[in-house]
Amino acid sequence: MTYNQLGSRFSPIVHFHKNERYFPCSIEFYLENSSMWKDGIEVFHVGEITTDNICKLAANSSPDTTALNIRESAWTGQKDTLGSVPVYTIITELKEEDEYLIQYVFLYAYNGDLDVACGFKAGAHQCDIEQVSLYADKTTLSVKRLYYAAHGT
């Protein structure tokens, strides 16, 4: 079985709550809607960011002083085109355990705040990553373990 077949076999079916406000997006969508800042100065405007720009700036900068800022109008992600949003898949063979680790990664432009207690809200941030990690037996392809992270708004 190829890695593509293996990834497709276990690909998660995702359902969103009717009140969900923020949806997944592609890395291309994220970059197309972001500006890049270094030391508090905008060095690339929305629409100017490429992976080459990021790599060049990263080679000459401290990650602590460089940031992407996605425009607020894109925080909802790609709600209207969810069928075309990629699920990034990473497959690793765990030889000692005789398992495959299959990770499905979802990129969100924004994660809204959560009501922590008594109306106090916290946790809002740009760029959120959620994932499903599945461990499958290499011989039988049966699921041995499954973990997931939930996106909250």
Side-chain angles (χ1 to χ4, degrees):
M1 178 172 284
T2 68
Y3 279 176
N4 281 342
Q5 291 170 324
L6 192 58
S8 294
R9 177 183 178 116
F10 296 106
S11 185
I13 298 170
V14 179
H15 297 274
F16 294 96
H17 190 276
K18 64 181 180 179
N19 295 331
E20 180 64 54
R21 296 178 292 161
Y22 307 106
F23 294 86
C25 65
S26 68
I27 188 65
E28 292 82 8
F29 175 90
Y30 192 87
L31 294 178
E32 288 165 5
N33 287 284
S34 293
S35 55
M36 184 174 249
W37 296 72
K38 180 182 182 313
D39 298 320
I41 299 167
E42 188 175 18
V43 292
F44 294 109
H45 301 285
V46 170
E48 296 178 346
I49 297 178
T50 66
T51 51
D52 286 340
N53 292 346
I54 292 173
C55 292
K56 286 176 189 172
L57 194 60
N60 300 310
S61 301
S62 164
D64 295 336
T65 64
T66 307
L68 290 173
N69 184 27
I70 190 162
R71 60 179 160 191
E72 191 172 341
S73 62
W75 285 1
T76 55
Q78 292 178 267
K79 177 182 181 178
D80 297 330
T81 56
L82 276 176
S84 65
V85 175
V87 176
Y88 300 99
T89 307
I90 304 162
I91 299 176
T92 307
E93 288 189 54
L94 305 175
K95 294 186 172 131
E96 290 183 20
E97 291 84 6
D98 202 31
E99 298 174 328
Y100 292 110
L101 166 58
I102 308 165
Q103 295 171 290
Y104 301 95
V105 180
F106 304 86
L107 173 63
Y108 287 80
Y110 188 77
N111 189 86
D113 53 13
L114 299 171
D115 188 358
V116 179
C118 304
F120 177 74
K121 297 189 181 290
H125 60 276
Q126 295 187 17
C127 194
D128 195 38
I129 295 176
E130 302 300 351
Q131 56 79 34
V132 173
S133 294
L134 182 143
Y135 294 81
D137 184 277
K138 283 175 68 175
T139 306
T140 65
L141 297 180
S142 61
V143 175
K144 294 175 84 174
R145 294 181 306 284
L146 179 71
Y147 303 95
Y148 64 92
H151 178 78
T153 56

